[in-house]
Amino acid sequence: MNIQLLGMIVLWTFLYGYIIVASIDFGAGFFAYYGKMTKQDHVINNIIDRYLAPVWEVTNVFFVFFFVGLIGFFPSVAYYLGTALLIPGSIALVLLSIRGSFYAFSNYGSKDNKVYLFLYGATGLLIPAALCTVLTISGGGFITEKNGAVQFLAGKLFSSLYSWSVVIIAIISVLYISATFLTYYANRAKDYGALAILRRYALFWSIPTILASFLVFVGLRDNNVHFYQRIIDKYWWMFALSLVCFIVASLLILFKRNYGTAFIFVMLQYFFAFYGYGASHLPYILDPYITIYSGFTVHTAAVALVIVFILGLVLLIPSLIILMRLFLFNADYIQGKK
Amino acid sequence: MDMDNVTLSRLLIAMTFVFHIIFATIGVGIPVMIAIAEGLGIWKKDNNYLLMARRWARGYTITVAVGVVTGTCLGLQLSLLFPSFMRVAGQAISLPLFMETFAFFFEAIFLGIYLYTWDRFKKRTSHWLFIFPVIIGANLSAFFITTVNAFMNTPQGFTLKNGVIKTIDPIAAMFNPATPAKSMHVIVTAYTASALILGSIAAVQYLRGKRSEYITKSLRLAVTMGLIFGILTGITGDFSAKFLAKHQPEKLAAMEWHFKTERGAPFIFYGTLNKDTEEVKYAIKIPKLLSFLSFSDFNAKVIGLDEFPKDETPPLYIHYLFDVKMTLVGLMLFMAFIYVLCSRLKKEWMHNKWLLVGLSCAGPFAMASIELGWTLAEVGRQPWILRGYMKVAQGATTASGLGSMFWLFLVLYLLLAIFSIVVIRKMFIQNPPEDEMKYRFNNI
């Protein structure tokens, strides 16, 4: 395997990691707000807080990792996407900022402030919508280069069926991933009141998840035929596996069994879909301007990045294990005894 | 706004930076103070210090949150506002940026652990140990990110051909000539500012008539540490002057209105300048001091602005930034010094009203001098974005809509500033230390 592909796989894995942890986080914020509005907060918000409080900062890092790494490995991306995404990127940043700070304001400052909770919960649903437009744009067709100046076709993006189908699946997936995780978490905490509500959310969001994914396929066919064809010809099996994992996860939750396994299947469902999507996208990063070969950095820089990445993991993995053992997988902590 | 893209890009990134640096500075310095307070509490078996660590840590969470989000803004704005710059330099600075993220990741993990394990371990030292990874992470991330800025001041470790980087030595790029002086100064000033800010909070409480043991002790600890770190600040500041004289003489010359290369150059403080005649009036002029500060030799040759083309020298107003900054630093350290002196020699003067008023100002002065110092450092390398290689005008974005983005972020930062103040005030006013002492430690 060449280093370009390795670099891309590393970055893609970080993005996948971000999608999972951020979805749990974004969805949890929305459910916390929804819980408050429907006066169920005394049942579910405790569970949500217990999970989120020690890990909220970590979530953000996955995202920063992805874009710092992307610019490091593929500096041309910074030029094209940086120029094109000034406005959508800035809006996404504002949303991320509101969300991050109001989480802290609401959690450490004023626990009962509805405005803080609203800002935190609502932005959580808008951020995936804003961020996933970057994925849409990278598929090609929304950026042109005229006389050396990069232009972003915002009007085309807003009127495209494909772009909206991606937004819809992003929002629905956030709610679905989050609900399935929190169902598992509530079950571990032996908090059966919260479990009943969260399980209902998980089941409720499973139907739109699958409908929206078909919508994306339809949109994709209209937007970029070559890309669509690569999926159908070469990587259809990954999407089929994704569908199987979805069915297994939904059935487990429906029959109230093995919520932990169910969540692993949800992760696998997104793993297959996301990597299948990524593989079909290659070799393009930004269709047709940048491929993983044309936009790649100087070799020495890439080697240094990979070395640092491995050293970083040596440091991070044990730290993450400590974090998880102290909080996520610590029965006493989850149940509120510590 | 009716301005060109270069000006708008500069204004927007400057605004983000000025806002972020407040929280970043606190983020580097406060964990050190928390560690000292908790350590003292365990060692002296004094609950006052343990409570101090706890309360400081609680306020710290809010500042960390705002620091994280504004840091993310800054990171992405580099590419959004200066895409052409990032295409060229992105690969040279990606290594330290990547390492910075790792350091921050490490910090984030252990901060979560530290905050949620106060009463979980039997031995108090076990919990205390968890603050050290937070300190290490915060300091390393400050170090790595400063190397990026240092690289922009004294780029090295790459070859450029037709605007494309051909070879890179990432380590040489990171450990460029500006790195040692800059990173040391950044880290030590963050400690000083954080300590003095905590001191200011305690001094204000004291002036308001809250004179519990907790307030007295936190005032003394914070101001004493502020003075110790302040002395280190002076030493690292001296390194910075020597670095500038050697590697970035045009910045030093603009800072000091030093127009002609000469031996035994004078040090100029305040004054006014006639730009056409290059004549300086009403200044405090100390003969030969600039040579001494630059090279530890009263007769050393200091390079003047005459050796640079006019369009490659920084604006001369940075002299005033330097003057005000040094005045503020002098005042705040003087006040801390007097306080510590009194605490040793004349205890009854320690809580003199005017001294406390002075100490209340020390924290804001420290933060203001950090802002001024950064402005000085950044404006001082104009017109370059990558000194000697790329001017700011070549790096800025060509996209439209910058004006509205400027207002969008201005509103965001104003909102974040207002809400952080409201939330932090509420956190501490609703739960005074005296009450918390009672319910947490059941004594006094």
Side-chain angles (χ1 to χ4, degrees):
Chain A
M1 186 174 14
N2 53 38
I3 192 160
Q4 288 88 345
L5 195 57
L6 181 70
M8 201 63 229
I9 290 173
V10 164
L11 293 175
W12 205 241
T13 306
F14 264 104
L15 197 55
Y16 170 73
Y18 180 65
I19 285 178
I20 297 297
V21 290
S23 295
I24 295 175
D25 190 352
F26 292 156
F30 177 78
F31 291 133
Y33 177 69
Y34 183 75
K36 189 112 193 163
M37 287 298 104
T38 52
K39 308 239 180 317
Q40 293 173 321
D41 50 324
H42 57 285
V43 192
I44 58 170
N45 284 24
N46 192 22
I47 279 288
I48 292 174
D49 283 346
R50 285 219 149 240
Y51 163 73
L52 282 183
V55 301
W56 64 272
E57 253 196 297
V58 177
T59 309
N60 204 46
V61 190
F62 276 92
F63 176 58
V64 180
F65 246 119
F66 172 73
F67 78 73
V68 167
L70 188 68
I71 291 163
F73 280 108
F74 307 100
S76 310
V77 175
Y79 174 69
Y80 281 97
L81 286 186
T83 309
L85 293 180
L86 175 71
I87 292 172
S90 297
I91 292 171
L93 276 180
V94 169
L95 291 171
L96 273 172
S97 305
I98 293 176
R99 193 187 138 77
S101 18
F102 279 88
Y103 172 74
F105 296 164
S106 145
N107 200 52
Y108 299 105
S110 324
K111 276 251 183 247
D112 297 315
N113 194 317
K114 277 186 191 162
V115 177
Y116 294 0
L117 197 61
F118 169 75
L119 284 171
Y120 162 62
T123 46
L125 288 192
L126 296 174
I127 293 166
L131 290 181
C132 70
T133 54
V134 180
L135 281 183
T136 310
I137 291 167
S138 71
F142 302 103
I143 287 179
T144 58
E145 200 174 14
K146 255 190 219 151
N147 309 326
V150 176
Q151 277 183 330
F152 169 50
L153 309 172
K156 193 176 168 201
L157 185 77
F158 280 111
S159 57
S160 140
L161 167 74
Y162 172 56
S163 146
W164 286 108
S165 65
V166 173
V167 169
I168 291 167
I169 191 149
I171 294 176
I172 293 173
S173 300
V174 159
L175 295 169
Y176 174 66
I177 294 174
S178 188
T180 49
F181 175 81
L182 291 171
T183 305
Y184 153 71
Y185 198 71
N187 186 49
R188 275 203 51 126
K190 301 199 171 68
D191 185 341
Y192 299 111
L195 174 68
I197 296 174
L198 292 164
R199 177 176 162 272
R200 224 169 48 228
Y201 291 166
L203 289 174
F204 177 82
W205 287 109
S206 64
I207 310 290
T209 303
I210 207 68
L211 291 178
S213 16
F214 286 116
L215 191 64
V216 169
F217 271 94
V218 175
L220 193 60
R221 197 184 52 195
D222 295 342
N223 189 61
N224 186 333
V225 185
H226 306 290
F227 185 24
Y228 178 76
Q229 211 55 46
R230 274 199 297 273
I231 292 180
I232 300 298
D233 295 345
K234 274 178 84 178
Y235 297 104
W236 61 271
W237 55 274
M238 290 190 87
F239 293 91
L241 276 176
S242 173
L243 182 66
V244 171
C245 292
F246 166 77
I247 294 169
V248 173
S250 303
L251 288 176
L252 284 173
I253 294 172
L254 186 66
F255 294 115
K256 300 188 183 178
R257 298 179 55 158
N258 305 64
Y259 293 114
T261 320
F263 183 67
I264 289 174
F265 272 99
V266 170
M267 280 174 71
L268 286 173
Q269 171 198 339
Y270 281 90
F271 176 88
F272 286 120
F274 191 68
Y275 279 81
Y277 171 86
S280 324
H281 208 291
L282 287 178
Y284 291 107
I285 297 177
L286 176 63
D287 201 354
Y289 299 103
I290 313 168
T291 69
I292 58 168
Y293 304 103
S294 72
F296 200 63
T297 182
V298 178
H299 190 75
T300 46
V303 172
L305 278 179
V306 171
I307 293 172
V308 165
F309 179 74
I310 292 165
L311 289 177
L313 284 188
V314 171
L315 184 74
L316 284 187
I317 290 173
S319 317
L320 276 173
I321 291 173
I322 297 179
L323 185 74
M324 290 188 179
R325 286 183 56 161
L326 281 170
F327 301 105
L328 292 191
F329 299 108
N330 187 305
D332 285 345
Y333 173 78
I334 303 176
Q335 290 169 21
K337 290 178 191 156
K338 269 185 179 169
Chain B
M1 273 193 292
D2 209 21
M3 276 191 242
D4 63 306
N5 263 20
V6 180
T7 315
L8 279 171
S9 300
R10 285 182 62 197
L11 275 177
L12 182 45
I13 201 114
M15 179 170 70
T16 305
F17 190 77
V18 163
F19 191 62
H20 174 66
I21 203 69
I22 299 172
F23 299 90
T25 302
I26 295 172
V28 173
I30 299 281
V32 177
M33 295 299 293
I34 295 173
I36 294 170
E38 196 183 0
L40 270 179
I42 296 169
W43 181 47
K44 292 190 167 178
K45 299 196 172 55
D46 185 337
N47 289 337
N48 283 295
Y49 291 110
L50 292 177
L51 186 64
M52 233 175 269
R54 250 183 136 111
R55 288 174 69 89
W56 288 348
R58 219 178 303 140
Y60 179 65
T61 53
I62 301 290
T63 60
V64 166
V66 181
V68 169
V69 299
T70 52
T72 311
C73 288
L74 198 56
L76 269 169
Q77 277 180 350
L78 267 184
S79 301
L80 293 175
L81 300 174
F82 298 96
S84 310
F85 162 70
M86 285 302 278
R87 174 150 71 170
V88 177
Q91 26 204 342
I93 60 176
S94 63
L95 185 74
L97 279 178
F98 211 53
M99 287 161 109
E100 196 265 348
T101 322
F102 267 117
F104 174 62
F105 210 147
F106 190 64
E107 181 193 346
I109 290 172
F110 284 95
L111 183 64
I113 295 178
Y114 182 79
L115 290 176
Y116 288 88
T117 53
W118 277 98
D119 302 310
R120 250 171 98 168
F121 303 107
K122 280 203 185 83
K123 272 173 68 183
R124 276 183 161 166
T125 40
S126 314
H127 176 258
W128 184 57
L129 290 177
F130 278 117
I131 192 74
F132 288 94
V134 178
I135 294 177
I136 293 168
N139 280 279
L140 280 179
S141 74
F143 170 74
F144 291 131
I145 209 68
T146 311
T147 68
V148 173
N149 184 271
F151 172 80
M152 290 158 83
N153 278 283
T154 51
Q156 67 168 35
F158 65 97
T159 53
L160 204 64
K161 214 174 184 183
N162 302 329
V164 180
I165 286 191
K166 284 295 171 202
T167 59
I168 299 180
D169 178 354
I171 304 296
M174 235 176 102
F175 293 94
N176 59 74
T179 295
K182 221 177 184 96
S183 54
M184 270 194 282
H185 198 59
V186 164
I187 289 172
V188 175
T189 50
Y191 292 177
T192 314
S194 304
L196 289 177
I197 285 168
L198 294 172
S200 288
I201 296 171
V204 169
Q205 297 302 319
Y206 208 91
L207 278 172
R208 283 189 179 160
K210 298 193 172 159
R211 307 208 165 157
S212 59
E213 200 188 341
Y214 174 87
I215 298 286
T216 315
K217 281 183 174 165
S218 63
L219 178 65
R220 189 164 176 182
L221 174 63
V223 177
T224 310
M225 292 317 298
L227 182 65
I228 294 171
F229 295 137
I231 293 166
L232 293 175
T233 300
I235 298 170
T236 56
D238 182 55
F239 293 159
S240 300
K242 293 194 163 50
F243 155 78
L244 284 181
K246 199 169 165 200
H247 295 280
Q248 251 181 318
E250 78 279 17
K251 191 189 272 185
L252 186 73
M255 234 162 89
E256 269 294 306
W257 289 345
H258 180 59
F259 294 100
K260 289 187 183 61
T261 303
E262 61 180 334
R263 293 187 174 279
F267 179 81
I268 293 173
F269 205 50
Y270 285 99
T272 57
L273 177 73
N274 183 335
K275 270 190 185 164
D276 303 320
T277 57
E278 296 184 346
E279 201 180 346
V280 181
K281 270 189 186 164
Y282 314 115
I284 304 166
K285 208 168 175 179
I286 305 168
K288 301 194 176 194
L289 186 62
L290 186 62
S291 287
F292 181 73
L293 289 175
S294 307
F295 297 101
S296 309
D297 169 5
F298 285 108
N299 291 311
K301 186 160 80 176
V302 182
I303 296 172
L305 285 170
D306 57 348
E307 297 200 13
F308 298 90
K310 272 263 183 278
D311 61 340
E312 287 180 13
T313 54
L316 293 170
Y317 72 78
I318 61 173
H319 175 72
Y320 301 114
L321 304 179
F322 177 72
D323 293 336
V324 177
K325 177 186 102 136
M326 290 317 293
T327 310
L328 291 177
V329 171
L331 280 174
M332 79 200 196
L333 291 183
F334 175 72
M335 288 174 305
F337 176 71
I338 297 292
Y339 177 85
V340 173
L341 204 67
C342 291
S343 75
R344 297 275 154 199
L345 302 174
K346 269 252 181 241
K347 280 210 187 283
E348 61 271 26
W349 291 356
M350 260 169 85
H351 300 117
N352 171 290
K353 191 181 160 202
W354 292 108
L355 183 57
L356 287 170
V357 171
L359 290 172
S360 313
C361 299
F365 280 7
M367 196 48 88
S369 57
I370 283 180
E371 296 284 9
L372 286 169
W374 270 112
T375 315
L376 174 66
E378 293 304 280
V379 178
R381 72 180 152 98
Q382 290 306 313
W384 301 107
I385 191 167
L386 198 55
R387 184 173 166 270
Y389 292 94
M390 189 187 231
K391 291 194 174 165
V392 178
Q394 298 165 298
T397 184
T398 49
S400 52
L402 269 171
S404 33
M405 292 304 110
F406 178 85
W407 294 113
L408 180 71
F409 278 99
L410 182 68
V411 170
L412 172 73
Y413 299 146
L414 281 177
L415 271 180
L416 292 185
I418 293 168
F419 279 105
S420 351
I421 294 169
V422 168
V423 167
I424 291 177
R425 277 179 58 97
K426 212 172 150 195
M427 240 165 129
F428 289 103
I429 290 172
Q430 285 184 346
N431 185 13
E434 297 73 26
D435 294 359
E436 192 176 349
M437 199 73 182
K438 270 178 219 151
Y439 76 71
R440 212 176 278 287
F441 298 106
N442 276 327
N443 59 5
I444 299 181

